Amino acid sequence: MRTLNPLYQLAAEQKSADVTDWSARISWVVGLIVFVAFVYWLMRQGWKWRGRLQSALPELATTPEGFADGEPLLTLRGRYHASTTAGQWLDRIVAHGLGTRSRVELTLTEQGLDVVRPGAADFFVPAAALREARLDKALAGKVLPEGGLLVITWAHGGTLIDSGFRSDHAAEHQAWVDAVDRLAGTHLTSTTEGTAR
């Protein structure tokens, strides 16, 4: 009992230091909140400004009637990362919702590529607009392991666009590259032959 008494008294004597300057602490917290809000506002303004610069881009095509009746060549579930100007992996396109990351379901048929994005704008790329597909590792500031990104290049309103997708099963990417390149090559060849005639 005698040994416990001094420990109890010692614990009772110890007190936390009094906070003497609440106004300085509150000022720092308010200042930090204002700074974060200002940075967020600048980011929003940059996004809107980029959207205004890209306002000349036409509306995206919608899925044509009877598309679901066609035989799908390939389907994919995964993530839509972004779209950029072709060949410029940091030049993000934000017009018409193309800058919004989302889940995605892709369906490729002889008619083209149907892009369904829950929570974001869906769009359709006609087969004649497809140019190529490739495996890449970076797009719009998003960097993934080598070959972790399926990038499909397509034409829209005189602009070549790179759109990046990542399948839930990355092993599917190569089959998509082959199928898109084959479909794009078929349409480009038929267009060239039609022009020559």
Side-chain angles (χ1 to χ4, degrees), residues 9-147:
Q9 288 174 351
L10 184 63
E13 289 171 4
Q14 288 182 351
K15 295 180 181 177
S16 60
D18 292 334
V19 177
T20 55
D21 196 0
W22 277 104
S23 61
R25 288 179 185 243
I26 291 172
S27 298
W28 275 103
V29 170
V30 169
L32 183 61
I33 291 170
V34 168
F35 176 74
V36 169
F38 178 66
V39 170
Y40 178 75
W41 179 80
L42 284 177
M43 290 169 60
R44 292 277 300 165
Q45 291 304 109
W47 192 270
K48 289 179 182 178
W49 174 74
R50 184 174 282 272
R52 282 194 297 272
L53 285 179
Q54 297 165 352
S55 61
L57 197 67
E59 287 291 325
L60 300 172
T62 56
T63 308
E65 292 289 328
F67 178 81
D69 301 336
E71 184 68 30
L73 302 174
L74 286 171
T75 59
L76 176 149
R77 286 176 181 259
R79 290 203 63 80
Y80 168 82
H81 283 283
S83 290
T84 65
T85 304
Q88 299 179 28
W89 75 286
L90 289 175
D91 187 21
R92 181 190 295 265
I93 295 175
V94 301
H96 310 303
L98 287 175
T100 307
R101 287 186 178 155
S102 62
R103 292 289 300 165
V104 73
E105 294 176 15
L106 298 181
T107 305
L108 183 68
T109 71
E110 294 292 338
Q111 285 183 271
L113 176 67
D114 189 35
V115 182
V116 177
R117 302 188 301 156
D122 301 340
F123 61 95
F124 180 77
V125 181
L130 291 170
R131 293 296 176 262
E132 66 170 357
R134 69 179 187 277
L135 298 181
D136 213 326
K137 64 177 182 178
L139 190 74
K142 180 74 172 178
V143 180
L144 296 165
E146 189 69 46

